Amino acid sequence: MELKPSESLKVDTFSMRIGDIGGVELDRLHALSLSVGWPHRAEDWQFLRESGQGFVALDEIGRVLGSAMWFAHGADFSTVGMVITSPRLQTLGAGQWLMKRVFENVVGCDLRLNATRAARRLYLSLDFQPEKTVYQCQGIARTLTTGRVTNTPGDVRTLGANDIAAAIALDAAGFGVRRAALIEKLFAHSAGYGLFKGDTLNAFALCRPFGRGHVVGPVVAERDADAIAVVKPHVTDHSGSFLRIDTHMHNGEFAAFLSHSGMPVFDTVLTMSMGKSLTDFAAGGAITPMTYALASQTLG
């Protein structure tokens, strides 16, 4: 990581050059993610480009063979995502080359990412440390008609623009970093439900179009019952349609609720950190908000 990466990389029988991800046509980025089986639509790529920065790897005739992005939240924390190399280049150093370009732009930042199984060796070689498993839960949503009713004191209602400030504060308490710009942008693209006790927002869940259907996230709450209370309306809204949620929760009432609602575990990725660990960002106190579901694997 200490060595400055070159402006080009000789791979196999051809060279790659670096390019700004903002200058690449969306259909070419979409083709790249399709080549590795990722579900991102062109619209999902555009949302990410508007939320962060990144590079692409281009071959001599301008084909997109790789990508890497970062999303800054303040001056000293970023998440890293959309690190993709075409299958033929995955063992030829292209991923490390792209990541070193990212490192040049996040000097002094604590970093967090979610690694697929195929990418874990790369991130370990770059000194990222394993943290927690993320469970990718997805399927055709179904509304529960039976089961135990959990007591949830408070009122669940639709979120509006007047609730953004409270959601930003709650997300910061759960995530450990203030993500004001991202939460504002997510509000503009999402439907949201919040759990209120009096005038205080105690939990919320956003849901937006993504991939094969919709994704729920972020979800922030203090306990399983509250998280269920704000996710359940989204399940009802999308009953019979594809719904996804990415969570660190692998057992307990919330995990069981997801499975019973048609979203069993489909796959896993691994949250990894460089610099401060997840526990370094955790808020103190006996009862604190937690991030029950990520905004996405890319955004954290």
Side-chain angles (χ1 to χ4, degrees), residues 15-300:
S15 294
M16 291 193 303
R17 59 185 173 84
I18 207 76
D20 190 316
I21 202 166
V24 178
E25 294 87 350
L26 286 174
D27 60 346
R28 295 164 70 196
L29 296 174
H30 185 214
L32 176 66
S33 53
L34 284 176
S35 73
V36 293
W38 290 14
H40 299 71
R41 308 167 302 155
E43 296 89 342
D44 302 323
W45 273 103
Q46 182 59 26
F47 180 92
L48 293 170
R49 290 202 305 186
E50 292 172 357
S51 303
Q53 302 175 73
F55 296 113
V56 289
L58 303 167
D59 71 5
E60 294 165 325
I61 60 173
R63 290 177 297 188
V64 179
L65 302 181
S67 65
M69 296 191 71
W70 72 96
F71 306 85
H73 306 290
D76 55 5
F77 179 85
S78 293
T79 56
V80 176
M82 300 310 289
V83 181
I84 304 174
T85 56
S86 62
R88 65 177 293 193
L89 303 181
Q90 288 177 354
T91 61
L92 299 176
Q96 188 173 76
W97 180 62
L98 282 163
M99 284 298 297
K100 287 182 177 180
R101 298 306 300 256
V102 171
F103 288 150
E104 286 187 315
N105 290 270
V106 294
V107 176
C109 284
D110 297 308
L111 303 178
R112 192 181 304 172
L113 56 77
N114 292 297
T116 63
R117 291 180 183 87
R120 287 175 194 175
R121 181 178 298 179
L122 166 65
Y123 297 129
L124 287 169
S125 74
L126 295 171
D127 205 30
F128 280 89
Q129 301 302 310
E131 295 274 7
K132 288 183 177 180
T133 298
V134 176
Y135 299 89
Q136 179 180 326
C137 303
Q138 63 184 50
I140 303 303
R142 59 174 181 265
T143 303
L144 297 177
T145 57
T146 60
R148 184 169 64 88
V149 177
T150 303
N151 180 32
T152 305
D155 300 312
V156 175
R157 65 171 174 81
T158 302
L159 295 176
N162 292 336
D163 302 309
I164 293 177
I168 289 171
L170 197 61
D171 176 75
F175 190 77
V177 174
R178 184 175 173 84
R179 305 188 290 177
L182 176 61
I183 298 302
E184 288 178 1
K185 188 169 183 61
L186 287 168
F187 258 71
H189 289 77
S190 305
Y193 290 99
L195 174 66
F196 291 83
K197 298 175 184 177
D199 294 328
T200 302
L201 179 66
N202 283 83
F204 76 91
L206 302 181
C207 180
R208 68 189 187 280
F210 174 83
R212 295 171 55 190
H214 285 73
V215 63
V216 180
V219 178
V220 184
E222 292 181 350
R223 60 183 186 133
D224 282 24
D226 293 356
I228 292 169
V230 292
V231 172
K232 189 173 183 179
H234 291 303
V235 174
T236 299
D237 291 345
H238 298 286
S239 182
S241 301
F242 184 86
L243 198 60
R244 170 175 168 174
I245 191 165
D246 295 287
T247 180
H248 286 127
M249 309 299 171
H250 67 286
N251 54 30
E253 290 184 29
F254 183 73
F257 163 77
L258 295 181
S259 181
H260 294 155
S261 297
M263 292 178 283
V265 175
F266 172 76
D267 200 0
T268 62
V269 295
L270 180 65
T271 299
M272 304 182 75
S273 296
M274 178 184 289
K276 290 183 179 178
S277 68
L278 288 178
T279 56
D280 294 325
F281 288 101
I287 300 178
T288 58
M290 296 182 289
T291 300
Y292 270 79
L294 311 183
S296 70
Q297 291 182 12
T298 294
L299 297 169

